Amino acid sequence: QQQVKQSPQSLIVQKGGIPIINCAYENTAFDYFPWYQQFPGKGPALLIAIRPDVSEKKEGRFTISFNKSAKQFSLHIMDSQPGDSATYFCAASRNGANNLFFGTGTRLTVIP
Amino acid sequence: DSGVTQTPKHLITATGQRVTLRCSPRSGDLSVYWYQQSLDQGLQFLIQYYNGEERAKGNILERFSAQQFPDLHSELNLSSLELGDSALYFCASSVGTGNYGYTFGSGTRLTVV
């Protein structure tokens, strides 16, 4: 059973576009929601994370929007660049838990 | 370089065999986590060790086992391998027992033929 559902599976945008990746969860005990970026041949790297006490968090061109009532969160990439082409994973965990539950990933391609 | 070292990078083996994957955590990190990444399942948590002791278990098969040694490196042992075990196996490390601030290694790609 997938604890975190992620969509779309793949996404292609033009340079400068704003790709949006969505995730949904069911477990209301989750209180930490990170996004990871993975390049081919590399392990996932933490990109940005949010906790449910805020509705939005920005770090550079990356923004997480969080909707607690809908149990959804999303990643927006502003002014996307070809170098952003990678696979993006959302994840969630409970306070004090030792493991992350990952979404199935979104392969993003930014066309020059 | 993330600071988490995994060896080997690639492994090809036959069904029924046993393999050992190795992970050296980032300097100062006491926790080691193992994850399996397959095409259709994404990243699945297998097991966590903290300072030599097993701390949490996920959907790890009985054919799989792990340990963390006094120097904090960890090994994941996979036995009686099946075709379906083919996947990327990632190790991650963190300072404490919580999962915040994970750092992943580059993974070991296991192919079972």
Side-chain angles (χ1 to χ4, degrees), chain A residues 38 43 89 93 97-100, chain B residues 33 35 37 48 90 97 99 105:
Chain A
Q38 184 179 26
F89 293 92
S93 73
N98 293 300
N99 61 295
L100 287 165
Chain B
Y33 309 80
Y35 279 79
Q37 184 178 33
Q48 179 212 0
F90 284 103
T97 57
N99 55 48

Side-chain angles (χ1 to χ4, degrees), chain A residues 57-76:
Chain A
K57 183 174 181 180
K58 290 183 181 180
E59 284 187 8
R61 295 183 294 107
F62 300 91
T63 299
I64 301 179
S65 298
F66 186 83
N67 186 329
K68 189 174 181 178
S69 61
K71 292 183 284 185
Q72 294 175 350
F73 57 111
S74 58
L75 177 70
H76 303 231

Side-chain angles (χ1 to χ4, degrees), chain B residues 18-91:
Chain B
R18 172 190 167 95
V19 297
T20 298
L21 312 184
R22 183 188 169 102
C23 169
S24 293
R26 214 172 43 156
S27 178
D29 286 355
L30 299 179
S31 273
V32 169
Y33 309 80
W34 286 97
Y35 279 79
Q36 180 191 55
Q37 184 178 33
S38 55
L39 280 175
D40 57 345
Q41 292 287 327
L43 283 149
Q44 300 288 321
F45 171 68
L46 296 177
I47 197 165
Q48 179 212 0
Y49 278 81
Y50 175 75
N51 204 21
E53 292 187 2
E54 183 184 304
R55 190 57 72 102
K57 235 175 184 177
N59 296 325
I60 188 167
L61 300 172
E62 285 191 11
R63 299 183 286 109
F64 296 1
S65 65
Q67 54 185 326
Q68 186 179 28
F69 294 86
D71 66 353
L72 300 177
H73 90 271
S74 178
E75 293 180 356
L76 179 67
N77 301 296
L78 315 176
S79 61
S80 303
L81 284 167
E82 303 174 358
L83 295 177
D85 297 326
S86 296
L88 269 166
Y89 291 85
F90 284 103
C91 166

